[in-house]
Amino acid sequence: VKEINILYTIKKFNYVVNYYYDDVLDNSLTINKTDIPYGTSVDSKEYYLKENQIREGYTLDTVKSDNNTYTITNNEVVINIYYKKNNYGYSVNYFFNSEYGFTTNDTAVYGDKITAQSNWLSNEELSNKNKTDYFLDPNKNVENNKEITIGTDEDENVLDIYYINTNFNNTTET
């Protein structure tokens, strides 16, 4: 009886994980995994960055990002993970004769520029608020023309707009 010894080695393969911000590949984050045994299971979600690793103002793009589990059988697996700018809230406070009137809230994309001018009330809007005799306060030009850049701290994403009453009571002493 002859004894036959058979030796075999499991083939090993490679795969790549790419990270994108605003659809642009960030080469500094690319991971090249090598010497992965045939049949190894790889869950792409395990490569999602932790919150403290993601650039400020960004969030995982769940629509574009790979969320598959792969079985490594060749060198063709490429996992692509995408991050996009997140939306953050901002507030516009309206003042009439330096007294608080009301606030509007909206959202914008991280890094967007929002101007006070783009939030000025139209004559119709003023009329709807029973403020037909009001116009922008000329003493508050800096505030009324301010521009903010949307950041992650929504408490800092604030514009104040000032109006003043044009209905002056002229009284003459005799």
Side-chain angles (χ1 to χ4, degrees), residues 50-143:
K50 306 288 183 258
E51 190 172 329
N52 65 347
Q53 298 172 307
I54 300 171
R55 288 183 194 169
E56 180 179 71
Y58 284 79
T59 188
L60 178 69
D61 186 336
T62 56
V63 173
K64 289 184 178 180
S65 290
D66 198 331
N67 65 355
N68 296 310
T69 299
Y70 296 96
T71 301
I72 302 301
T73 59
N74 56 42
N75 289 321
E76 296 175 9
V77 173
V78 177
I79 297 170
N80 293 312
I81 301 173
Y82 291 84
Y83 293 90
K84 63 181 179 179
K85 290 181 181 176
N86 204 0
N87 289 321
Y88 294 94
Y90 71 93
S91 301
V92 181
N93 300 314
Y94 294 90
F95 295 86
F96 299 91
N97 290 337
S98 295
E99 292 183 14
Y100 173 77
F102 64 94
T103 298
T104 61
N105 297 300
D106 205 346
T107 59
V109 175
Y110 175 78
D112 279 0
K113 304 233 184 273
I114 307 295
T115 64
Q117 186 175 3
S118 67
N119 287 277
W120 290 350
L121 299 174
S122 68
N123 288 337
E124 182 180 341
E125 290 169 312
L126 285 166
S127 178
N128 290 341
K129 302 241 182 250
N130 294 320
K131 302 289 185 188
T132 54
D133 293 334
Y134 284 80
F135 68 99
L136 288 169
D137 187 338
N139 296 317
K140 299 287 189 175
N141 273 333
V142 170
E143 294 88 344

